[in-house]
PDB file of all heavy atoms in Angstrom:
ATOM      1  N   GLY D 177      -8.844  -1.042  -9.438  1.00 90.00           N
ATOM      2  CA  GLY D 177      -7.462  -1.153  -9.890  1.00 90.00           C
ATOM      3  C   GLY D 177      -6.578  -2.043  -9.038  1.00 90.00           C
ATOM      4  O   GLY D 177      -5.806  -1.553  -8.216  1.00 90.00           O
ATOM      5  N   ASN D 240       0.566   4.554   5.638  1.00 98.00           N
ATOM      6  CA  ASN D 240      -0.279   3.401   5.270  1.00 98.00           C
ATOM      7  C   ASN D 240      -0.800   3.554   3.844  1.00 98.00           C
ATOM      8  O   ASN D 240      -1.985   3.830   3.607  1.00 98.00           O
ATOM      9  CB  ASN D 240      -1.453   3.286   6.239  1.00 98.00           C
ATOM     10  CG  ASN D 240      -1.026   2.693   7.566  1.00 98.00           C
ATOM     11  OD1 ASN D 240      -1.010   1.486   7.736  1.00 98.00           O
ATOM     12  ND2 ASN D 240      -0.634   3.544   8.487  1.00 98.00           N
ATOM     13  N   GLY D 241       0.094   3.423   2.915  1.00 98.00           N
ATOM     14  CA  GLY D 241      -0.284   3.562   1.511  1.00 98.00           C
ATOM     15  C   GLY D 241      -0.291   5.037   1.108  1.00 98.00           C
ATOM     16  O   GLY D 241      -0.326   5.947   1.949  1.00 98.00           O
ATOM     17  N   ALA D 242      -0.281   5.246  -0.212  1.00 98.00           N
ATOM     18  CA  ALA D 242      -0.276   6.619  -0.736  1.00 98.00           C
ATOM     19  C   ALA D 242      -1.490   7.397  -0.229  1.00 98.00           C
ATOM     20  O   ALA D 242      -1.409   8.600   0.012  1.00 98.00           O
ATOM     21  CB  ALA D 242      -0.276   6.571  -2.262  1.00 98.00           C
ATOM     22  N   THR D 243      -2.605   6.703  -0.049  1.00 98.00           N
ATOM     23  CA  THR D 243      -3.839   7.395   0.358  1.00 98.00           C
ATOM     24  C   THR D 243      -3.650   8.105   1.700  1.00 98.00           C
ATOM     25  O   THR D 243      -4.087   9.239   1.880  1.00 98.00           O
ATOM     26  CB  THR D 243      -5.012   6.386   0.430  1.00 98.00           C
ATOM     27  OG1 THR D 243      -5.020   5.644  -0.795  1.00 98.00           O
ATOM     28  CG2 THR D 243      -6.340   7.082   0.589  1.00 98.00           C
ATOM     29  N   GLU D 244      -2.986   7.445   2.646  1.00 98.00           N
ATOM     30  CA  GLU D 244      -2.729   8.133   3.917  1.00 98.00           C
ATOM     31  C   GLU D 244      -1.742   9.289   3.713  1.00 98.00           C
ATOM     32  O   GLU D 244      -1.862  10.342   4.346  1.00 98.00           O
ATOM     33  CB  GLU D 244      -2.195   7.177   4.990  1.00 98.00           C
ATOM     34  CG  GLU D 244      -2.355   7.805   6.379  1.00 98.00           C
ATOM     35  CD  GLU D 244      -1.220   7.562   7.367  1.00 98.00           C
ATOM     36  OE1 GLU D 244      -0.563   6.509   7.323  1.00 98.00           O
ATOM     37  OE2 GLU D 244      -0.972   8.453   8.189  1.00 98.00           O
ATOM     38  N   ILE D 246      -1.508  11.194   1.121  1.00 98.00           N
ATOM     39  CA  ILE D 246      -2.260  12.320   0.541  1.00 98.00           C
ATOM     40  C   ILE D 246      -3.041  13.037   1.648  1.00 98.00           C
ATOM     41  O   ILE D 246      -3.026  14.259   1.774  1.00 98.00           O
ATOM     42  CB  ILE D 246      -3.221  11.798  -0.563  1.00 98.00           C
ATOM     43  CG1 ILE D 246      -2.410  11.251  -1.742  1.00 98.00           C
ATOM     44  CG2 ILE D 246      -4.196  12.873  -1.018  1.00 98.00           C
ATOM     45  CD1 ILE D 246      -3.152  10.263  -2.633  1.00 98.00           C
ATOM     46  N   TYR D 267      -8.021  10.965  -8.916  1.00 95.00           N
ATOM     47  CA  TYR D 267      -8.192   9.881  -7.932  1.00 95.00           C
ATOM     48  C   TYR D 267      -9.073  10.434  -6.813  1.00 95.00           C
ATOM     49  O   TYR D 267      -8.800  11.516  -6.274  1.00 95.00           O
ATOM     50  CB  TYR D 267      -6.806   9.454  -7.426  1.00 95.00           C
ATOM     51  CG  TYR D 267      -6.828   8.437  -6.319  1.00 95.00           C
ATOM     52  CD1 TYR D 267      -7.530   7.242  -6.447  1.00 95.00           C
ATOM     53  CD2 TYR D 267      -6.136   8.659  -5.127  1.00 95.00           C
ATOM     54  CE1 TYR D 267      -7.545   6.309  -5.430  1.00 95.00           C
ATOM     55  CE2 TYR D 267      -6.136   7.722  -4.110  1.00 95.00           C
ATOM     56  CZ  TYR D 267      -6.848   6.555  -4.264  1.00 95.00           C
ATOM     57  OH  TYR D 267      -6.854   5.628  -3.249  1.00 95.00           O
ATOM     58  N   TYR D 270      -8.378  12.673  -3.457  1.00 98.00           N
ATOM     59  CA  TYR D 270      -7.855  14.049  -3.408  1.00 98.00           C
ATOM     60  C   TYR D 270      -8.906  15.014  -2.865  1.00 98.00           C
ATOM     61  O   TYR D 270      -8.660  15.778  -1.947  1.00 98.00           O
ATOM     62  CB  TYR D 270      -7.409  14.551  -4.796  1.00 98.00           C
ATOM     63  CG  TYR D 270      -6.335  13.742  -5.494  1.00 98.00           C
ATOM     64  CD1 TYR D 270      -6.140  13.853  -6.864  1.00 98.00           C
ATOM     65  CD2 TYR D 270      -5.518  12.871  -4.791  1.00 98.00           C
ATOM     66  CE1 TYR D 270      -5.159  13.121  -7.520  1.00 98.00           C
ATOM     67  CE2 TYR D 270      -4.534  12.136  -5.445  1.00 98.00           C
ATOM     68  CZ  TYR D 270      -4.370  12.262  -6.807  1.00 98.00           C
ATOM     69  OH  TYR D 270      -3.409  11.529  -7.444  1.00 98.00           O
ATOM     70  N   ASN D 312      -0.973  13.979 -10.687  1.00 98.00           N
ATOM     71  CA  ASN D 312      -0.862  12.522 -10.637  1.00 98.00           C
ATOM     72  C   ASN D 312      -0.222  12.079 -11.944  1.00 98.00           C
ATOM     73  O   ASN D 312      -0.803  12.247 -13.009  1.00 98.00           O
ATOM     74  CB  ASN D 312      -2.253  11.908 -10.443  1.00 98.00           C
ATOM     75  CG  ASN D 312      -2.281  10.400 -10.593  1.00 98.00           C
ATOM     76  OD1 ASN D 312      -3.263   9.837 -11.060  1.00 98.00           O
ATOM     77  ND2 ASN D 312      -1.218   9.727 -10.204  1.00 98.00           N
ATOM     78  N   ASN D 316      -3.996   8.236 -13.429  1.00 98.00           N
ATOM     79  CA  ASN D 316      -5.204   7.424 -13.332  1.00 98.00           C
ATOM     80  C   ASN D 316      -6.386   8.389 -13.383  1.00 98.00           C
ATOM     81  O   ASN D 316      -6.413   9.325 -12.588  1.00 98.00           O
ATOM     82  CB  ASN D 316      -5.180   6.664 -11.993  1.00 98.00           C
ATOM     83  CG  ASN D 316      -6.505   6.015 -11.654  1.00 98.00           C
ATOM     84  OD1 ASN D 316      -7.370   5.828 -12.498  1.00 98.00           O
ATOM     85  ND2 ASN D 316      -6.677   5.675 -10.379  1.00 98.00           N
ATOM     86  N   ASP D 344       1.611  12.724  -6.959  1.00 98.00           N
ATOM     87  CA  ASP D 344       1.248  11.327  -6.677  1.00 98.00           C
ATOM     88  C   ASP D 344       1.804  10.475  -7.820  1.00 98.00           C
ATOM     89  O   ASP D 344       1.318  10.541  -8.951  1.00 98.00           O
ATOM     90  CB  ASP D 344      -0.282  11.242  -6.577  1.00 98.00           C
ATOM     91  CG  ASP D 344      -0.801   9.824  -6.423  1.00 98.00           C
ATOM     92  OD1 ASP D 344      -0.026   8.862  -6.566  1.00 98.00           O
ATOM     93  OD2 ASP D 344      -2.015   9.678  -6.162  1.00 98.00           O
ATOM     94  N   VAL D 346       2.290   6.964  -7.856  1.00 98.00           N
ATOM     95  CA  VAL D 346       2.186   5.532  -7.525  1.00 98.00           C
ATOM     96  C   VAL D 346       2.366   4.607  -8.735  1.00 98.00           C
ATOM     97  O   VAL D 346       2.685   3.443  -8.574  1.00 98.00           O
ATOM     98  CB  VAL D 346       0.871   5.160  -6.777  1.00 98.00           C
ATOM     99  CG1 VAL D 346       0.789   5.794  -5.416  1.00 98.00           C
ATOM    100  CG2 VAL D 346      -0.355   5.456  -7.600  1.00 98.00           C
ATOM    101  N   TYR D 347       2.165   5.156  -9.951  1.00 98.00           N
ATOM    102  CA  TYR D 347       2.360   4.307 -11.148  1.00 98.00           C
ATOM    103  C   TYR D 347       3.700   4.598 -11.821  1.00 98.00           C
ATOM    104  O   TYR D 347       3.851   4.413 -13.040  1.00 98.00           O
ATOM    105  CB  TYR D 347       1.208   4.527 -12.138  1.00 98.00           C
ATOM    106  CG  TYR D 347      -0.140   4.169 -11.552  1.00 98.00           C
ATOM    107  CD1 TYR D 347      -0.990   5.159 -11.058  1.00 98.00           C
ATOM    108  CD2 TYR D 347      -0.548   2.846 -11.429  1.00 98.00           C
ATOM    109  CE1 TYR D 347      -2.214   4.837 -10.479  1.00 98.00           C
ATOM    110  CE2 TYR D 347      -1.763   2.517 -10.853  1.00 98.00           C
ATOM    111  CZ  TYR D 347      -2.596   3.517 -10.382  1.00 98.00           C
ATOM    112  OH  TYR D 347      -3.794   3.180  -9.798  1.00 98.00           O
ATOM    113  N   SER D 375       4.024   4.290  -3.432  1.00 98.00           N
ATOM    114  CA  SER D 375       3.719   3.182  -2.519  1.00 98.00           C
ATOM    115  C   SER D 375       4.072   1.859  -3.180  1.00 98.00           C
ATOM    116  O   SER D 375       4.404   1.815  -4.368  1.00 98.00           O
ATOM    117  CB  SER D 375       2.240   3.206  -2.138  1.00 98.00           C
ATOM    118  OG  SER D 375       1.429   2.889  -3.238  1.00 98.00           O
ATOM    119  N   GLY D 377       1.982  -0.778  -3.413  1.00 97.00           N
ATOM    120  CA  GLY D 377       0.805  -1.518  -3.870  1.00 97.00           C
ATOM    121  C   GLY D 377       0.778  -1.788  -5.361  1.00 97.00           C
ATOM    122  O   GLY D 377       0.598  -2.931  -5.801  1.00 97.00           O
ATOM    123  N   LYS D 378       0.933  -0.733  -6.177  1.00 96.00           N
ATOM    124  CA  LYS D 378       0.810  -0.891  -7.625  1.00 96.00           C
ATOM    125  C   LYS D 378       2.089  -1.525  -8.184  1.00 96.00           C
ATOM    126  O   LYS D 378       2.043  -2.396  -9.045  1.00 96.00           O
ATOM    127  CB  LYS D 378       0.582   0.467  -8.293  1.00 96.00           C
ATOM    128  CG  LYS D 378      -0.507   1.294  -7.652  1.00 96.00           C
ATOM    129  CD  LYS D 378      -1.879   0.718  -7.894  1.00 96.00           C
ATOM    130  CE  LYS D 378      -2.912   1.484  -7.082  1.00 96.00           C
ATOM    131  NZ  LYS D 378      -4.274   1.052  -7.313  1.00 96.00           N
ATOM    132  N   THR D 383      -1.704  -4.627  -3.627  1.00 96.00           N
ATOM    133  CA  THR D 383      -2.341  -3.414  -3.110  1.00 96.00           C
ATOM    134  C   THR D 383      -2.757  -3.571  -1.641  1.00 96.00           C
ATOM    135  O   THR D 383      -2.980  -2.573  -0.958  1.00 96.00           O
ATOM    136  CB  THR D 383      -3.585  -3.051  -3.953  1.00 96.00           C
ATOM    137  OG1 THR D 383      -4.451  -4.176  -3.970  1.00 96.00           O
ATOM    138  CG2 THR D 383      -3.189  -2.685  -5.377  1.00 96.00           C
ATOM    139  N   LYS D 386      -0.477  -1.876   1.645  1.00 97.00           N
ATOM    140  CA  LYS D 386      -0.685  -0.535   2.190  1.00 97.00           C
ATOM    141  C   LYS D 386       0.566   0.035   2.856  1.00 97.00           C
ATOM    142  O   LYS D 386       0.561   0.443   4.019  1.00 97.00           O
ATOM    143  CB  LYS D 386      -1.862  -0.530   3.183  1.00 97.00           C
ATOM    144  CG  LYS D 386      -3.221  -0.823   2.568  1.00 97.00           C
ATOM    145  CD  LYS D 386      -3.610   0.092   1.441  1.00 97.00           C
ATOM    146  CE  LYS D 386      -3.925   1.506   1.858  1.00 97.00           C
ATOM    147  NZ  LYS D 386      -4.344   2.343   0.699  1.00 97.00           N
ATOM    148  N   ILE D 387       1.635   0.039   2.107  1.00 98.00           N
ATOM    149  CA  ILE D 387       2.848   0.711   2.568  1.00 98.00           C
ATOM    150  C   ILE D 387       3.205   1.772   1.538  1.00 98.00           C
ATOM    151  O   ILE D 387       3.386   1.458   0.361  1.00 98.00           O
ATOM    152  CB  ILE D 387       4.016  -0.282   2.727  1.00 98.00           C
ATOM    153  CG1 ILE D 387       3.706  -1.205   3.903  1.00 98.00           C
ATOM    154  CG2 ILE D 387       5.345   0.448   2.948  1.00 98.00           C
ATOM    155  CD1 ILE D 387       4.803  -2.143   4.239  1.00 98.00           C
ATOM    156  N   PHE D 463      -4.598   1.313 -16.580  1.00 98.00           N
ATOM    157  CA  PHE D 463      -5.979   1.657 -16.928  1.00 98.00           C
ATOM    158  C   PHE D 463      -6.085   2.055 -18.389  1.00 98.00           C
ATOM    159  O   PHE D 463      -5.138   2.565 -18.972  1.00 98.00           O
ATOM    160  CB  PHE D 463      -6.460   2.829 -16.063  1.00 98.00           C
ATOM    161  CG  PHE D 463      -6.429   2.511 -14.605  1.00 98.00           C
ATOM    162  CD1 PHE D 463      -5.516   3.137 -13.768  1.00 98.00           C
ATOM    163  CD2 PHE D 463      -7.294   1.571 -14.065  1.00 98.00           C
ATOM    164  CE1 PHE D 463      -5.468   2.826 -12.420  1.00 98.00           C
ATOM    165  CE2 PHE D 463      -7.258   1.253 -12.715  1.00 98.00           C
ATOM    166  CZ  PHE D 463      -6.335   1.887 -11.893  1.00 98.00           C
TER     167      PHE D 463
HETATM  168  C1  PLP E 869      -3.574   7.768  -8.432  1.00 58.09           C
HETATM  169  C2  PLP E 869      -3.633   6.894  -7.218  1.00 58.09           C
HETATM  170  N1  PLP E 869      -3.041   7.318  -6.098  1.00 58.09           N
HETATM  171  C3  PLP E 869      -3.067   6.565  -4.978  1.00 58.09           C
HETATM  172  C4  PLP E 869      -3.698   5.333  -4.957  1.00 58.09           C
HETATM  173  C5  PLP E 869      -3.733   4.528  -3.696  1.00 58.09           C
HETATM  174  O1  PLP E 869      -2.493   4.042  -3.346  1.00 58.09           O
HETATM  175  P1  PLP E 869      -2.364   3.168  -2.015  1.00 58.09           P
HETATM  176  O2  PLP E 869      -3.051   1.861  -2.263  1.00 58.09           O
HETATM  177  O3  PLP E 869      -0.901   3.046  -1.817  1.00 58.09           O
HETATM  178  O4  PLP E 869      -3.045   3.934  -0.927  1.00 58.09           O
HETATM  179  C6  PLP E 869      -4.339   4.878  -6.109  1.00 58.09           C
HETATM  180  C7  PLP E 869      -5.078   3.596  -6.102  1.00 58.09           C
HETATM  181  O5  PLP E 869      -5.862   3.290  -6.947  1.00 58.09           O
HETATM  182  C8  PLP E 869      -4.287   5.660  -7.267  1.00 58.09           C
HETATM  183  O6  PLP E 869      -4.857   5.254  -8.407  1.00 58.09           O
END
Side-chain angles (χ1 to χ4, degrees):
N240 283 273
T243 310
E244 198 218 329
I246 294 158
Y267 175 53
Y270 301 161
N312 171 213
N316 168 17
D344 174 351
V346 295
Y347 299 100
S375 68
K378 311 290 173 177
T383 55
K386 294 304 290 182
I387 291 185
F463 300 111

